[in-house]
Amino acid sequence: MILDGDPLIIESFANDDERQSAINLFTMAGAAIAITDRFDTIGDNAHIFQNLEVLALRKAGLVGKPIFKNSHGFEYDPSSRDPERWIGQLPDGSWAVALFNRGESTVTRSIDFAAVLGFAGLAAVRNLWTHEGLGSITSYQVALTPHASVLLSVVPQGPARFQAEVGAWAGSARFEDTFG
């Protein structure tokens, strides 16, 4: 993987939790992911790069962001963002949600879909790494071991609603008069 010109060696991570967290962060941020290993040395790490559900997010053009805690600019208030909870909306109206544990002890992370994603009602939720459907739920909570993360697909039931704030940040919504 290469981020800002510096290679990130996946085999240098201690375990699959750390490898998945790196891929989850790059996927949510819309960053480029490049495999810098050879077929004969990638060993047991190949599955990290071959998850078709995670790759589908990249193909759909996902660009997410950390959850905003308040409307202050990051330069003014660095605590205004939650770097351990990321969201991104896809063109079909569904969401990708990533929850991270960057710490050294097990923590619980959660997300309430109505409060954070702005829709009421149930959503079909799927864990993209375990390929497991988690049912129709309104919120999600998980205990994460050190350096672990989870990447979810969240599909609201009912008509798709698009969050202008998320679209504007991702570049898919524009505030201009191009037809006037």
Side-chain angles (χ1 to χ4, degrees), residues 95 113-114 119-125 134-139 154-159:
W95 292 85
F113 303 140
F119 64 85
L122 298 171
V125 178
L134 304 175
S136 292
I137 54 180
T138 58
S139 62
V154 178
V155 181
Q157 294 180 357

Side-chain angles (χ1 to χ4, degrees), residues 72-87:
H72 298 154
F74 184 76
E75 296 78 19
Y76 169 74
D77 179 7
S79 69
S80 65
R81 309 297 184 266
D82 183 346
E84 309 235 6
R85 299 186 311 151
W86 284 62
I87 60 171

Side-chain angles (χ1 to χ4, degrees), residues 1 10-11 13 15-24 26-27 33 35 42-55 58 128-129 131 151:
M1 249 186 275
I10 286 292
E11 70 182 30
F13 291 106
N15 54 48
D16 277 351
D17 283 346
E18 291 183 1
R19 292 179 193 94
Q20 287 177 4
S21 289
I23 296 297
N24 288 347
F26 294 152
T27 298
I33 298 174
I35 301 171
I42 201 165
D44 294 334
N45 297 331
H47 72 281
I48 298 293
F49 302 106
Q50 297 172 334
N51 184 321
L52 296 179
E53 292 183 86
V54 174
L55 292 172
R58 307 253 330 126
L128 299 183
W129 284 103
H131 310 291
L151 183 59

Side-chain angles (χ1 to χ4, degrees), residues 9-176:
I9 310 300
I10 286 292
E11 70 182 30
S12 67
F13 291 106
N15 54 48
D16 277 351
D17 283 346
E18 291 183 1
R19 292 179 193 94
Q20 287 177 4
S21 289
I23 296 297
N24 288 347
L25 181 58
F26 294 152
T27 298
M28 290 301 295
I33 298 174
I35 301 171
T36 59
D37 205 337
R38 298 183 340 205
F39 73 93
D40 59 342
T41 60
I42 201 165
D44 294 334
N45 297 331
H47 72 281
I48 298 293
F49 302 106
Q50 297 172 334
N51 184 321
L52 296 179
E53 292 183 86
V54 174
L55 292 172
L57 295 177
R58 307 253 330 126
K59 187 174 183 177
L62 174 69
V63 177
K65 65 175 185 173
I67 292 173
F68 284 26
K69 294 179 183 176
N70 61 50
S71 62
H72 298 154
F74 184 76
E75 296 78 19
Y76 169 74
D77 179 7
S79 69
S80 65
R81 309 297 184 266
D82 183 346
E84 309 235 6
R85 299 186 311 151
W86 284 62
I87 60 171
Q89 193 169 26
L90 295 161
D92 65 0
S94 67
W95 292 85
V97 173
L99 305 174
F100 295 91
N101 177 5
R102 300 181 331 165
E104 299 299 327
S105 60
T106 299
V107 297
T108 299
R109 296 277 181 254
S110 63
I111 184 167
D112 178 288
F113 303 140
V116 176
L117 303 180
F119 64 85
L122 298 171
V125 178
R126 183 171 178 80
N127 183 317
L128 299 183
W129 284 103
T130 64
H131 310 291
E132 175 186 19
L134 304 175
S136 292
I137 54 180
T138 58
S139 62
Y140 180 78
Q141 180 173 305
V142 64
L144 294 171
T145 57
H147 310 150
S149 64
V150 64
L151 183 59
L152 305 172
S153 166
V154 178
V155 181
Q157 294 180 357
R161 291 191 172 146
F162 295 92
Q163 296 293 323
E165 170 199 329
V166 174
W169 189 87
S172 58
R174 299 185 193 278
F175 301 97
E176 55 188 51

